[in-house]
Amino acid sequence: MPKVGITTTVPVEVIYAAGWVPVDLNNLFITDENPQSLVEEAELAGYPRNLCAWIKGIYSIALKNRDIRTIIAVTQGDCSNTHALMETLQLAGVEIVPFAFPYDRDSDLLRLQMEKMMSYFGVSWKQVGEAKERLDRVRSRVWELDRLTWAENRVGGWENHLYQVCCSDFNGDPERFAAEVDEILKERRSAPARKEELRLGYIGVPPIVGELYQYLEERGARVVYNEVQRQFTMPFETPDLVEQYRLYTYPYGIFFRLEDICREAARRRLDGIIHYAQSFCFRQIEDLIIRQKLGLPVLTLEGDKPSRLDARTRMRLDVFLDMLR
Amino acid sequence: MFLGIDLGSRSVKVVLMDGEGNLQRQKFDTMEFYRKYGEKEEDRLVIDVSVLAVPPAGAVTATGYGRQAVGVKGARAIPEVMAHVKGAVYLTGLKDFTLLDLGGQDSKVALVRGGRVVDFTANDKCAASTGRYLENMAAALNISLEELGSHRRDPAELTSTCAVFGESELIGKIVEGCSIPSLAAGVNYSIFKRILPMLNRLPSAVIVFTGGVAYNRSLREIIGEETGARLVVPEGPEYAGAVGCCVDAAGIL
């Protein structure tokens, strides 16, 4: 089965309907044995130092995996650096399929984008609908894992992040992934509920420093809401695939995202929110809107390279937790 | 007796507080301090404070940039912002203010209400608003820090984002015939411009200014005038963190 790389979450139902294997290049990059060296490779190739490390990592990992000859690049609704990323990969002989989430969530435009993708892969709405049913069966297990996190306090922030983030491509094998999640669910359901601790929300793109979750838990705070990771699981009750990708908040404006964030913050009884923004990302600007619109204490973290949590970030986390207490 | 140690990036501050609240203060160059008092134990540096020339203290409390990586034997570590705020509250007697702490490589702004931190922010990615930047700029101009801090009139426009490029920019300006006082004023204003967004985000009627940079007279005047806030600088502003450690251990606040 041919592989297709993706630069962020796209209507993956289309890919599975066509019998291709989707590969989320972000996950491939960050789980590499040496992600930092991938960033450096891109810099050696000529990528600027003051640019998002995710983009650089994706560039290098795409070149390293020569079995990925086609990449779906999200040209709107993620990051405009993707444009140049596509071009540099095109230069290296990779075939690029562009996909754009319409900024205003227009359903006609979104349907058209999805149909273009379907015609590229040669699949019908019927096949795509069947793929959605198949994937929703897997997603529902991850929705349960999320519920066990915030409603029953049996799952940690890192696991919540990991299994949800994997729903962008289901690790290329939905049924095998589902079996993995079933194992975890079984274990966690019988685990004792965690004691009282600070309940945090994590908003923004997934962190480039995974250690964050463990660090917080060692200090009596747990992330019970991972905003964007949860969005990757499409936690929406809708049979309509176009509507599903309209309800999906990540590619659209901050105000639409905030509706979801505020709703979940109340439901999950959050004490505070960590807003993570990648260095050099336009989303750093949105921090000022988030701070004005969220009625909760916010700590803004900035991450650049895939490394350990640095001393300054740890210090800021300590103070934030102390402040919430 | 309480011993507070603030492991800063440029200097280590040590404060000894007795039962009456009397303070004894000592300052060391960070590198020299680690070389002199640090012992390598496995994969970290451990400080034995018993070799410091101070009377034995009941409780040793450490804070600062180095507290995560450096172990201080028998010491309790507390977060830096906490230590600075407690020190500032103790030294000024104020409970509601914005703390501005400009240290060797860190700039921190904390909003304090009722003596507690309710929000804070810190510089990221760049140390061009800190003491190290001032030291470098003074060296580039070949003047003392005191001299640098005495100018605020006719500031030259400095635009570099990077502290090191800032030095190149200075040299370029000198070639253009810009005067040293005007360049020194420009350096002080450039620091102010960098910290202003943080101050604006966490405003108060009173700003307590701590850290070694608080010795810069022009910067003090600029901050006071431009923000309209009342500026308070405690005695020994760079010791606020170490004092806060003692205060925390003594359970005074």
Side-chain angles (χ1 to χ4, degrees), chain A residues 126-142:
Chain A
K126 183 175 171 294
Q127 289 169 290
V128 173
E130 285 161 5
K132 172 174 163 57
E133 281 171 28
R134 174 190 174 193
L135 296 181
D136 279 350
R137 280 195 294 274
V138 183
R139 286 171 178 143
S140 63
R141 294 165 157 100
V142 184

Side-chain angles (χ1 to χ4, degrees), chain B residues 156-240:
Chain B
E157 188 71 37
L158 298 173
T159 55
S160 290
T161 306
C162 161
V164 176
F165 288 162
E167 292 177 50
S168 325
E169 196 178 9
L170 273 189
I171 293 157
K173 292 268 184 194
I174 291 169
V175 173
E176 287 169 22
C178 220
S179 73
I180 298 286
S182 161
L183 287 170
V187 168
N188 294 327
Y189 264 96
S190 72
I191 290 208
F192 170 71
K193 282 180 189 162
R194 285 167 189 279
I195 57 174
L196 186 60
M198 296 200 280
L199 290 171
N200 278 347
R201 214 167 85 185
L202 305 172
S204 299
V206 181
I207 294 172
V208 176
F209 189 5
T210 61
V213 179
Y215 285 110
N216 182 314
R217 186 172 50 114
S218 295
L219 188 57
R220 290 201 303 263
E221 290 170 4
I222 294 167
I223 294 166
E225 273 175 38
E226 298 269 357
T227 63
R230 180 164 73 94
L231 197 79
V232 178
V233 180
E235 192 196 343
E238 75 272 46
Y239 290 96

Side-chain angles (χ1 to χ4, degrees), chain A residues 59-77:
Chain A
Y59 172 77
S60 299
I61 202 77
L63 292 182
K64 201 170 156 179
N65 287 265
R66 300 309 293 181
D67 56 338
I68 301 172
R69 306 302 302 145
T70 309
I71 290 178
I72 298 173
V74 173
T75 56
Q76 192 181 324

Side-chain angles (χ1 to χ4, degrees), chain B residues 28-45:
Chain B
F28 305 84
D29 173 84
T30 297
M31 283 305 133
E32 210 173 309
F33 184 85
Y34 288 162
R35 264 203 302 269
K36 207 162 160 185
Y37 304 108
E39 284 279 324
K40 195 164 159 40
E41 278 188 15
E42 284 169 14
D43 59 346
R44 66 190 303 215
L45 195 70

Side-chain angles (χ1 to χ4, degrees), chain A residues 75-191:
Chain A
T75 56
Q76 192 181 324
D78 186 22
C79 160
S80 57
N81 288 317
T82 306
H83 297 193
L85 170 70
M86 284 160 39
E87 291 160 346
T88 48
L89 288 172
Q90 258 174 315
L91 191 67
V94 177
E95 184 172 6
I96 300 293
V97 182
F99 182 87
F101 288 98
Y103 178 76
D104 59 358
R105 304 177 52 232
D106 183 282
S107 52
D108 298 336
L109 284 173
L110 182 57
R111 178 178 297 274
L112 184 67
Q113 282 290 320
M114 286 164 76
E115 283 172 347
K116 284 189 161 195
M117 189 170 154
M118 284 158 59
S119 78
Y120 178 87
F121 286 98
V123 292
S124 65
W125 275 114
K126 183 175 171 294
Q127 289 169 290
V128 173
E130 285 161 5
K132 172 174 163 57
E133 281 171 28
R134 174 190 174 193
L135 296 181
D136 279 350
R137 280 195 294 274
V138 183
R139 286 171 178 143
S140 63
R141 294 165 157 100
V142 184
W143 299 339
E144 172 62 7
L145 189 83
D146 186 35
R147 195 192 61 80
L148 286 176
T149 308
W150 68 267
E152 296 196 19
N153 303 325
R154 292 177 203 276
V155 177
W158 165 252
E159 283 177 340
N160 181 278
H161 152 86
L162 183 69
Y163 289 97
Q164 293 192 117
V165 99
C166 286
C167 289
S168 59
D169 64 0
F170 302 96
N171 296 345
D173 186 343
E175 283 67 32
R176 190 171 151 195
F177 174 69
E180 264 179 61
V181 180
D182 282 341
E183 277 299 304
I184 289 288
L185 285 174
K186 207 168 84 185
E187 271 178 42
R188 292 296 168 269
R189 278 196 188 106
S190 56

